[in-house]
Amino acid sequence: MDATDTAAHIAAVRAFNRFYTRRIGVLEEGLSRTEFSLSEARLLWEFAHAGAPLSATALAHELKLDLGYLSRLLKGLRERGLIKARANPADARQSLLTLTAAGRRAFAPLDQGSQAQTSQMLARLNAPQQHRLLRALERVQAMLGDEAPGETQLRPLQSGDLGWVIGRHGALYAHEYGWDLRFEALVAQIAAQFIERFDPSREAGWIAVRGEGAGAERLGCVFLVQARDDVSGAPLEGMAQLRMLLVEPAARGLGLGKQLVTRCEDFARQAGYRRIRLWTNSLLGAARGIYAAQGYRLIASEAHHSFGHDLVGETWELELDER
């Protein structure tokens, strides 16, 4: 990523921050039309949802707040009778803090106001839009959170996956190589043929994902099909074909490409294939590196003009052992 891209990305994140803080009213004098600032409201929320009394040290660590600034906030809440302190029996140097009855009464309208405000925002969106928004929020939290990213897994195809496969191929190859819409059309044709000819005992597709359920993030894909003669369409005895391998840029370097290709090889052995063939282009260096490392051999190459560019197509094959 060059300096221009970095500057543009920083500007985009800052613009979103300004938009969202304005949208939820953070800049208003009182959060959700109450007397509390954002920091005070967050402290009340922590106390209201804590299962046990909290120390200032624990709060500072959880909220990433300067201890001096936090002490001033807590002093203000104590003077207003919203929190109370008692000695910590395990450490006399610390106090344990909890909400008072007045604090619980003060928090209730604040919580209700925030609920109503969020409900109003969501009401502007239909159900599919809300679903997309929640998935996006989950992804942002996962990517920017302190926790390590969830483990990736390969799963079988589900409804909606083929549309994603076609769209991501078109978008990525246009961005990275400048290929035109004819490439996306080719991928759509291959995907349609996969469904039309699908034989579950001999063919399969996998999606690499991180996370589970509706919030799962697609990271890559691959398909293994019965290889066929280019002219007649007749099946080639004992030969499978690897198709539509893709790994999202953000997931590269995780070994997903190798996992996807290896899954194809394992399936091909179980299905009784003796060889796997694939077609690629010479400029796809990362993919070619995976194929070479897995034992594929380049058996033919041919110049062609496709997708708006002069390219060199390559055919690779792998002889499957009996392991």
Side-chain angles (χ1 to χ4, degrees):
M1 184 185 302
D2 60 27
T4 301
D5 287 338
T6 299
H9 294 174
I10 291 172
V13 171
R14 296 182 65 188
F16 176 81
N17 290 342
R18 292 191 297 272
F19 158 78
Y20 194 64
T21 53
R22 183 174 66 250
R23 175 65 68 187
I24 63 174
V26 171
L27 301 180
E28 297 174 7
E29 186 172 351
L31 188 66
S32 297
R33 299 181 177 86
T34 70
E35 60 182 295
F36 300 107
S37 68
L38 175 62
S39 297
E40 290 172 331
R42 179 59 191 274
L43 285 174
L44 291 177
W45 190 96
E46 292 292 335
F47 286 122
H49 290 83
L54 299 172
S55 69
T57 301
L59 280 169
H61 177 76
E62 173 66 23
L63 300 179
K64 303 291 192 295
L65 286 177
D66 174 75
L67 194 55
Y69 173 60
L70 175 61
S71 296
R72 292 192 293 273
L73 291 173
L74 294 174
K75 179 182 178 182
L77 294 177
R78 289 182 64 182
E79 290 175 348
R80 290 148 74 182
L82 302 178
I83 61 173
K84 60 183 177 181
R86 64 176 175 83
N88 185 346
D91 187 347
R93 296 169 299 178
Q94 290 188 342
S95 296
L96 295 178
L97 305 167
T98 57
L99 281 181
T100 63
R104 288 191 292 273
R105 290 194 298 270
F107 175 71
L110 178 65
D111 192 39
Q112 293 165 4
S114 181
Q115 287 276 99
Q117 182 185 40
T118 304
S119 177
Q120 290 171 5
M121 276 199 303
L122 291 175
R124 302 171 56 188
L125 308 177
N126 59 33
Q129 289 173 327
Q130 290 188 23
H131 181 71
R132 291 197 298 271
L133 174 64
L134 296 179
R135 288 191 63 184
L137 293 177
E138 289 173 349
R139 291 177 182 178
V140 170
Q141 187 171 344
M143 294 176 72
L144 298 183
D146 294 331
E147 296 82 7
E151 292 186 4
T152 60
Q153 57 180 326
L154 307 187
R155 63 159 173 78
L157 292 176
Q158 297 177 359
S159 296
D161 284 338
L162 285 179
W164 176 85
V165 169
I166 296 166
R168 292 309 293 155
H169 270 83
L172 282 177
Y173 280 78
H175 175 71
E176 297 184 347
Y177 302 104
W179 291 5
D180 61 28
L181 286 170
R182 285 171 287 189
F183 176 67
E184 189 168 350
L186 173 63
V187 177
Q189 181 182 15
I190 295 170
Q193 290 174 346
F194 174 79
I195 296 300
E196 291 168 359
R197 298 170 171 173
F198 183 56
D199 177 356
S201 67
R202 306 279 289 169
E203 300 174 316
W206 296 271
I207 303 293
V209 298
R210 180 161 48 210
E212 298 180 358
E217 178 185 11
R218 296 182 181 99
L219 301 176
C221 61
V222 74
F223 292 75
L224 188 85
V225 301
Q226 167 68 61
R228 295 176 180 273
D229 183 84
D230 292 335
V231 177
S232 68
L236 299 178
E237 181 65 28
M239 182 176 291
Q241 184 170 4
L242 187 152
R243 311 208 77 168
M244 297 189 290
L245 173 68
L246 177 141
V247 176
E248 286 283 0
R252 291 170 188 170
L254 301 178
L256 279 184
K258 179 180 179 180
Q259 291 180 43
L260 289 163
V261 172
T262 300
R263 180 62 61 88
C264 287
E265 295 168 15
D266 292 342
F267 181 89
R269 290 188 180 92
Q270 294 172 7
Y273 290 110
R274 297 189 298 274
R275 287 180 294 169
I276 301 177
R277 172 180 291 178
L278 64 87
W279 183 83
T280 187
N281 281 280
S282 61
L283 79 170
L284 305 181
R288 295 173 80 255
I290 293 171
Y291 302 142
Q294 291 294 105
Y296 284 80
R297 294 183 301 106
L298 175 63
I299 64 169
S301 62
E302 182 180 6
H304 64 104
H305 184 86
S306 303
F307 324 127
H309 295 271
D310 291 324
L311 302 168
V312 177
E314 298 180 341
T315 301
W316 294 63
E317 284 190 4
L318 174 70
E319 295 286 341
L320 295 172
D321 55 37
E322 298 298 328
R323 55 179 167 154

